[in-house]
Amino acid sequence: MDRVNPGVAEANVTGGSSVTDSAADARSAADAAGTAGTADASGTADASGGARGSALTRAEVADFLYLEARLADECDYDGWEALWTDDAIYWVPAGRADADPQTSVSVIYDNRSRIATRLSQLRTGKRHAQAPPSSMRRLISNIEILGAHDGATEVGANFLLLESRARGLQLWGGRATYRLRRLDGALRLAYKKVVLVNLDEPLPTMGFLI
């Protein structure tokens, strides 16, 4: 099995096949979650979908995280990409959760342009580590609204991902931190940091969306 040592960057993104779900479908689902209404600290709903006090309700945060997980599981790259803001960061640290991604090598550290490049490579379906693509399902739990951060709502959640490949089953688990922002009435993902429980150990090749 190919290994990725902590502190060694992912040099190439490996690919899977895209599915037929459109980005428009994902945007519609995100819009539905984003326009469900918000509540302030006293529990008063803002029917217009604007932010007062705590910007997002727990229900719409959970719906968004479940949607993002499903799109990743089903290799719906168009739908998954449509969830991100233009200034997004997607980060999977290696070695230490508190490492500085500007000075330390990460498993993944993508800005919005690199996210688009990664997905373009995955859409080819020709990357060795994901040919054929893995079958994946993940569970999201322990969802917490952590507060505000640079105009976004910071959210934490645990995840457990089961990846099935021809060479066997691989279990991935950890804690993800998200920053969600409401744009034009819909929730969008401005930041995602995935801290694997075994980030300080050699990792199997990761050629999918974690």
Side-chain angles (χ1 to χ4, degrees):
M1 177 181 294
D2 297 336
R3 312 294 287 184
V4 176
N5 290 326
V8 178
E10 179 190 47
N12 293 298
V13 181
T14 52
S17 59
S18 61
V19 298
T20 58
D21 290 347
S22 67
D25 292 338
R27 290 191 182 96
S28 295
D31 290 347
T35 57
T38 60
D40 64 15
S42 65
T44 303
D46 180 357
S48 68
R52 282 196 324 190
S54 178
L56 306 176
T57 67
R58 182 180 179 83
E60 59 186 335
V61 165
D63 285 348
F64 184 89
L65 298 191
Y66 298 153
L67 170 65
E68 190 264 342
R70 178 175 63 79
L71 295 175
D73 284 343
E74 297 177 358
C75 301
D76 184 346
Y77 304 126
D78 292 343
W80 192 78
E81 185 175 10
L83 299 179
W84 291 85
T85 63
D86 291 341
D87 59 347
I89 294 293
Y90 173 34
W91 180 26
V92 183
R96 293 190 0 250
D98 61 351
D100 182 350
Q102 301 294 338
T103 58
S104 301
V105 178
S106 300
V107 178
I108 296 171
Y109 187 64
D110 290 354
N111 59 18
R112 186 62 183 81
S113 176
R114 178 57 185 162
I115 289 171
T117 299
R118 179 181 300 277
L119 295 173
S120 294
Q121 294 172 336
L122 285 167
R123 288 184 185 102
T124 68
K126 298 178 180 179
R127 293 295 179 176
H128 175 72
Q130 284 289 291
S134 300
S135 178
M136 295 177 289
R137 285 296 169 188
R138 71 197 74 197
L139 301 175
I140 307 295
S141 69
N142 299 78
I143 297 171
E144 298 178 275
I145 297 177
L146 303 176
H149 189 285
D150 292 339
T153 299
E154 188 161 279
V155 176
N158 294 346
F159 75 92
L160 192 62
L161 166 62
L162 182 63
E163 179 197 12
S164 177
R165 299 185 59 184
R167 62 191 183 193
L169 296 176
Q170 176 72 39
L171 195 62
W172 304 82
R175 179 79 170 170
T177 302
Y178 312 79
R179 292 175 191 156
L180 307 182
R181 193 182 299 153
R182 195 187 302 282
L183 297 176
D184 298 325
L187 295 190
R188 295 290 181 258
L189 182 56
Y191 174 92
K192 182 178 181 181
K193 177 183 178 182
V194 180
V195 178
L196 298 167
V197 295
N198 57 337
L199 81 165
D200 59 345
E201 301 174 4
L203 298 173
T205 298
M206 184 187 300
F208 55 87
L209 305 174
I210 186 66

